[in-house]
């Protein structure tokens, strides 16, 4: 279930109330057409990709009210506010688990395939035995590409006061909008947002993907819990991934309620090694690259994620971007922070995946 339909919409609905000129600008120049700036020569410019793929400024008749440094101030505020909220998404992108789509505004779904395997090879001395001829089968999968967006605005007079006084624009609202968009992107990847559906298909995260492997874990608030209990259960999660033909490497993601238990001295909670914490002990499990805390993952959850593109990747059809247009005869400057960034959690055609979700009793009941 989508928790906030006002902030997520498919591409054709985002500017439905903004007027025909904005739609025409998008069709002609893409999102850069809604980022015009005033150059040093006083002319209006938008930035497009040149023939060599590098940004090139294009003179346009589109009305611009912001200078280049104004845009720089707003963009820095939006990105700075967004970065801390994108732990899972940032991990995927830094690990190379990203699929980029050019001109993402012009696409509402991504079509991919799941493939089956073929049978085993034969072993004999003469090579004359005819093996079974097989072909892999392909299943088509559609991934919706919704736009995550948040609006803000300020009056033209505020911009004029900023220029006349030499003080920078107040970017507080821009920061808040960037943070809200980043939160929605992150929660889609985790699965807290619910599954966003469009065209008969859905976007899932790591905690609500239907084909994920699940395991009941012992929560550290129970009387029978010991650090060794979690070690044994994480080892079982690793084994479940291997039995599904996914052999790592993995990152173990934990909800923030686990931190106080993971970072205690092992001996204080029933362990037998005074020189390590539970986090350090878990990190020694073969194949686990790191243990990371996700602020938006609720309760006492553990998610083991194989770091390969056949298990998960972040689809980026538009990075976090801010666009602007005018209303009220130019007296109001409207802004929209927007992104097309969705997780693609994957399984093979048999349903096997390297995603193992550990959930405790109280978390599952909530």
């Amino acid at each position: 279930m989508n928790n906030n339909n006002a902030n997520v919409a498919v591409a054709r609905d985002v500017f439905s109330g903004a007027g025909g000129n904005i739609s025409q600008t998008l069709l002609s120049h893409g999102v850069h057409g809604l980022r015009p700036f005033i150059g040093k020569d006083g002319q209006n410019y938008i930035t497009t990709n040149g023939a060599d793929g590098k940004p090139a400024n294009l003179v346009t008749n589109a009305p611009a009210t912001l200078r280049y440094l104004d845009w720089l101030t707003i963009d820095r505020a939006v990105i700075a506010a967004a970065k801390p909220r994108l732990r899972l998404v940032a991990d995927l992108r830094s690990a190379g688990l990203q699929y980029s789509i050019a001109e993402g505004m012009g696409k509402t779904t991504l079509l991919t395939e799941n493939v089956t395997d073929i049978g085993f090879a034969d072993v004999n001395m003469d090579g004359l035995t005819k093996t079974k001829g097989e072909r892999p089968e392909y299943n088509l999968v559609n991934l919706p590409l919704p736009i995550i967006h948040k609006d803000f605005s300020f009056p033209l007079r505020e911009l004029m006061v900023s220029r006349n006084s030499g003080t920078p624009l107040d970017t507080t609202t821009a920061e808040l909008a960037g943070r809200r968009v980043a939160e929605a992107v992150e929660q889609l990847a985790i699965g807290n947002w619910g599954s966003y559906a469009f065209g008969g298909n859905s976007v899932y995260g790591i905690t609500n993907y239907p084909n994920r492997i699940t395991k009941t874990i012992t929560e550290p608030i129970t009387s029978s819990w010991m650090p060794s209990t979690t070690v044994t259960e994480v080892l079982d999660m690793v084994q479940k991934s291997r039995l599904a033909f996914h052999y790592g490497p993995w990152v173990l993601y934990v909800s923030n309620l686990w931190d106080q238990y993971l970072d205690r001295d092992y001996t204080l909670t029933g362990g037998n090694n005074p020189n390590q914490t539970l986090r350090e002990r878990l990190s020694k499990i073969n194949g686990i690259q790191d243990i990371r805390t996700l602020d938006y993952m609720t309760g006492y959850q553990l998610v083991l994620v194989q770091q390969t593109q056949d298990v998960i990747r972040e689809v980026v059809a538009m990075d976090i971007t801010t666009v602007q247009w005018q209303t009220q005869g130019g007296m109001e400057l409207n802004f929209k922070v927007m992104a097309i960034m969705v997780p693609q959690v994957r399984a093979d055609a048999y349903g096997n995946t390297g995603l193992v979700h550990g959930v405790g009793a109280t978390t599952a009941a909530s």
Side-chain angles (χ1 to χ4, degrees):
M1 179 178 175
N2 196 333
N3 293 331
N4 193 340
N5 289 323
N7 285 346
V8 179
V10 294
R12 64 174 179 269
D13 294 330
V14 174
F15 296 100
S16 59
N21 290 337
I22 293 175
S23 301
Q24 186 60 45
T25 301
L26 281 171
L27 289 172
S28 301
H29 302 294
V31 293
H32 289 293
L34 294 179
R35 293 173 58 86
F37 63 93
I38 303 171
K40 293 181 179 180
D41 57 4
Q43 296 193 70
N44 298 330
Y45 290 87
I46 61 173
T47 299
T48 62
N49 290 327
D52 57 357
K54 297 180 180 179
N57 291 333
L58 176 68
V59 179
T60 176
N61 291 325
T65 53
L66 300 181
R67 297 172 297 190
Y68 180 80
L69 290 179
D70 294 329
W71 273 115
L72 192 60
T73 300
I74 292 173
D75 288 345
R76 283 177 174 173
V78 169
I79 298 303
K83 279 185 176 180
R85 318 306 275 179
L86 296 176
R87 169 59 64 84
L88 175 57
V89 173
D91 281 358
L92 296 177
R93 300 182 73 175
S94 63
L97 304 179
Q98 173 178 317
Y99 183 80
S100 299
I101 300 176
E103 303 298 333
M105 280 291 290
K107 301 176 178 65
T108 56
T109 60
L110 171 66
L111 182 63
T112 57
E113 294 178 330
N114 289 338
V115 60
T116 64
D117 204 348
I118 60 175
F120 296 102
D122 200 1
V123 180
N124 54 56
M125 295 302 296
D126 54 24
L128 297 179
T129 303
K130 185 174 178 60
T131 62
K132 183 179 179 181
E134 298 169 306
R135 292 183 179 179
E137 297 179 356
Y138 298 90
N139 298 327
L140 296 178
V141 180
N142 256 325
L143 178 71
L145 299 175
I147 294 175
I148 300 97
H149 59 98
K150 186 66 177 177
D151 292 28
F152 66 97
S153 65
F154 58 81
L156 177 63
R157 190 174 187 183
E158 185 175 330
L159 175 63
M160 296 176 67
V161 169
S162 171
R163 290 183 180 175
N164 290 334
S165 63
T167 57
L169 286 170
D170 184 356
T171 58
T172 301
T173 310
E175 293 172 6
L176 292 173
R179 186 174 304 157
R180 291 296 175 259
V181 169
E183 288 171 352
V185 171
E186 180 80 351
Q187 292 196 65
L188 276 172
I190 294 174
N192 287 356
W193 194 274
S195 58
Y196 177 81
F198 172 74
N201 298 278
S202 299
V203 176
Y204 294 104
I206 60 175
T207 63
N208 66 346
Y209 180 55
N211 284 341
R212 73 192 188 283
I213 303 168
T214 58
K215 175 177 173 56
T216 301
I217 61 173
T218 304
E219 296 178 338
I221 55 175
T222 59
S223 59
S224 61
W225 179 85
M226 296 177 63
S228 57
T229 306
T230 298
V231 173
T232 300
E233 290 175 345
V234 171
L235 285 169
D236 187 51
M237 292 171 69
V238 168
Q239 183 63 14
K240 286 180 178 295
S241 179
R242 289 173 175 157
L243 290 175
F245 310 105
H246 289 80
Y247 305 99
W250 302 276
V251 169
L252 179 65
Y253 289 102
V254 304
S255 53
N256 56 19
L257 290 180
W258 272 102
D259 280 351
Q260 60 179 311
Y261 302 97
L262 293 177
D263 294 326
R264 289 179 186 173
D265 292 340
Y266 206 7
T267 52
L268 296 180
T269 48
N272 54 12
N273 187 339
N275 299 315
Q276 70 176 352
T277 62
L278 176 56
R279 186 186 301 272
E280 291 171 331
R281 172 62 186 91
L282 291 173
S283 67
K284 292 179 180 179
I285 295 176
N286 183 36
I288 293 183
Q289 290 183 323
D290 203 355
I291 301 170
R292 307 297 298 271
T293 302
L294 299 180
D295 290 341
Y296 292 109
M297 196 154 69
T298 59
Y300 295 93
Q301 300 186 69
L302 303 174
V303 186
L304 191 71
V305 182
Q306 179 173 299
Q307 301 292 287
T308 55
Q309 293 222 16
D310 61 333
V311 173
I312 187 170
R313 61 185 181 180
E314 185 72 10
V315 176
V316 181
M318 179 195 299
D319 219 324
I320 295 178
T321 304
T322 307
V323 297
Q324 178 259 321
W325 68 96
Q326 302 175 19
T327 55
Q328 300 293 331
M331 293 295 290
E332 184 176 24
L333 304 182
N334 302 281
F335 295 84
K336 185 185 291 288
V337 180
M338 56 194 297
I340 307 175
M341 299 170 62
V342 296
Q344 186 178 30
V345 188
R346 312 171 81 184
D348 63 23
Y350 301 108
N352 296 314
T353 182
L355 178 65
V356 187
H357 183 199
V359 186
T362 61
T363 302
S366 61

